[in-house]
Amino acid sequence: MTETHKTQASPSRRALIGWGGAGLALGAAAAGGAAAMARTGDDMDPAAAETGGAVEFHGAHQAGIATPVQDRLHFAAFDVKTDDREQFVHMLKDWTAAARRMTAGKAVGEGAYGGLAEAPPDDTGEALGLKPSRLTLTIGFGPSLFDRFGLADRRPEALVDLPRFPGDNLDRSRTGGDLCVQACADDPQVAVHAIRNLARIGFGKVAIRWSQLGFGKTSSTTPGAQTPRNLMGFKDGTRNIAGTETDRLRKFVWVGEEDGPDWMTGGSYLVARRIRMNIETWDRASLQEQEDVFGRDKREGAPVGKAKEHDEPFLKAMKPDAHVRLAHPDSNNGITILRRGYSFTDGTDGLGRLDAGLFFLAYQRDVRKGFIPLQRNLAAHDALNEYIQHVGSAVFAIPPGVRDSGDWWGRTLFSKGA
Amino acid sequence: MTETHKTQASPSRRALIGWGGAGLALGAAAAGGAAAMARTGDDMDPAAAETGGAVEFHGAHQAGIATPVQDRLHFAAFDVKTDDREQFVHMLKDWTAAARRMTAGKAVGEGAYGGLAEAPPDDTGEALGLKPSRLTLTIGFGPSLFDRFGLADRRPEALVDLPRFPGDNLDRSRTGGDLCVQACADDPQVAVHAIRNLARIGFGKVAIRWSQLGFGKTSSTTPGAQTPRNLMGFKDGTRNIAGTETDRLRKFVWVGEEDGPDWMTGGSYLVARRIRMNIETWDRASLQEQEDVFGRDKREGAPVGKAKEHDEPFLKAMKPDAHVRLAHPDSNNGITILRRGYSFTDGTDGLGRLDAGLFFLAYQRDVRKGFIPLQRNLAAHDALNEYIQHVGSAVFAIPPGVRDSGDWWGRTLFSKGA
């Protein structure tokens, strides 16, 4: 019996927290104040709200993948700075302890140095008094990590280096990384605090290679929820895998025992792409052109010729190069990925244009059967390519979840074999 | 009788919306969902919540100064690209009409081109379906604007170029600007949408010179509210001017008739400074060092020797170079400014350090009697200087509010005299 089967048979506490009352969620949102009235409502989580918004850290899978999508993101890729395996493993254990506490809304340390738990050297303090805000922390290992620490023979076959796609214009300073941590929370200060404290704990062992703030989610993993709009004004990825769809998650997202390697069972693979939108050009395109490019109407988000966002698209009604048509599983031998992307705005480029777009995050069971063939198709044909450019890229193996208070990030990779 | 007197005698609709039930606000926050439980609660506005969070655009003063501080910021400085005064004035009128609609939660256009109001060319659409989210838009005119359009003799004496302060390390690409727009909202997508649409409307007439996303407020203008923490983990600027303190606003923030020039009556002056924090260094300082630097305890935010954040500080109990002591009005001949700063995180510098800090925004009646002498004192003596660096800077004249549906941003400057 695989781990995912176990999870299905006996729902984890996380599953209960995540989904044990979706009907109530709308009521909670309706009763809320100004902040609750924002589009945070569609991924509301009533059980989490009762506990101050803590998402269970432990489980067969890491949180932050199939759990409800939070409003804000801080994503960091790290370079490893040590060749000492023991020191690195020690850091992973320290990170796990810190992540366990922070996702529960606690300060990093326990005041072990005789001071306040929220004070240096235990914590930087800026999240003191803030709620857990549904913080999830998700760790990943990049291909280059396996060049170190004698891990070469443990690199998963599915963790391939991404090929160069047509149109890629990758900035090296926003590409790659030995490690990554995805921090998602409803309060951006909570997400920023988490990454910063992991960087602080890792000082001397790792250094941030690049990081990305995402100010607004563009996906939902909540069944039936409306898809948030991206910066092109469209709902994209409306057929995302919901966190409750155990069968689709097992088929498309979670690494199974049969996939190998063993240490990845229950894990997944993450592709991160920084996609710059040429929004000034886009904003001068007509509504008809924009709707043709997506194959969707702008107001409702319905596929061409349909009435509602979640209506089944009729692909042949769309132009051959329409984004929805090209990205649809039916045009890609059934390929399906779980998306968790965020909008970003990072000031201005040197030419007076906003440096804004989509920080695309996609989880899949095998990159070779997920993002790579899908992006080959899109990069070659998508009408959207006139308005976007991929400027950053990374791929990571996402290990399975931390099982309990004695477990730690990376244990399955580091504790046996190598 | 000055405009501020009139406002005092007969509260504007904005004043009523902003403050007509501060007691209820806490109740609304407590009843809210996960998002409302975040620190948005302290500046909650129950009347605005009832209307979907619309803040009145019209008034004697521009909104976004003394009105309750929203959670998120998108700030943009623009360069003027036209020498045609009539064309520029036309753009200001178009901007005003767009701002009036967007702050009410409407799309920019009215569908005049026969299409949807939310569609191009009327609107970029990504805020469609979102609430007003307390959006405020505040315009300002930089010193360099007065070199154009025959405005030289209308430049206010108080709008001086900022001197170079000790320690300044200004990046030219994040400094200055002919115009600015401060967009504040509880939903960052609403603030980003507003700036983008103004830039789109201004295409050919203005171009964005630089912009800054602020992910979390660090100030409150709500009476008695807790001050949000900055990225150093401290509550700073706890004695901010509240939006209800009419006398202090008149004394320190609003330009009076006696100040001149006439066109600025009811306006203010804004200083914007991008303050990078060396957070990796700060995070390695001891709690004692950090508390000494601020002159405040970290957990509660109380001044040295006091119990509560809002307790009157006893300055002599602090070290001579403590930030609170040096910034206090008693150390600066009574100088008081209204702060509206936001935390930012803009990825990573080339050295693996987070590019993070405080985007400082301060409003005052006269820069020569506000920020300049205050910053001279701080730049010379503040213990905090070891951990921060000012890397961007700008100053703007903030004209008075738009009175009614026939009025427009800049009318008092452009319609008479010059």
Side-chain angles (χ1 to χ4, degrees), chain B residues 57 62-63 99 102-103 135-139 181-183 194-195 198 409:
Chain B
F57 178 69
Q62 290 193 71
M102 291 192 287
T103 54
L135 173 68
T136 57
L137 294 167
T138 313
I139 198 171
V181 178
Q182 169 196 284
I195 293 293
L198 295 181
W409 272 340

Side-chain angles (χ1 to χ4, degrees), chain A residues 48-78:
Chain A
E50 280 162 24
T51 62
V55 177
E56 175 62 43
F57 178 69
H58 300 113
H61 314 295
Q62 291 193 70
I65 303 170
T67 47
V69 181
Q70 305 93 323
D71 290 341
R72 324 287 170 212
L73 167 82
H74 195 199
F75 189 96
F78 296 86

Side-chain angles (χ1 to χ4, degrees), chain A residues 118 124 196 231 283 298, chain B residues 124 196 231 283 298-299:
Chain A
E118 303 85 356
T124 56
R196 172 192 183 176
L231 288 183
D283 288 348
K298 193 165 188 177
Chain B
T124 56
R196 171 191 184 176
L231 287 183
D283 287 347
K298 194 166 187 176
R299 180 189 284 259

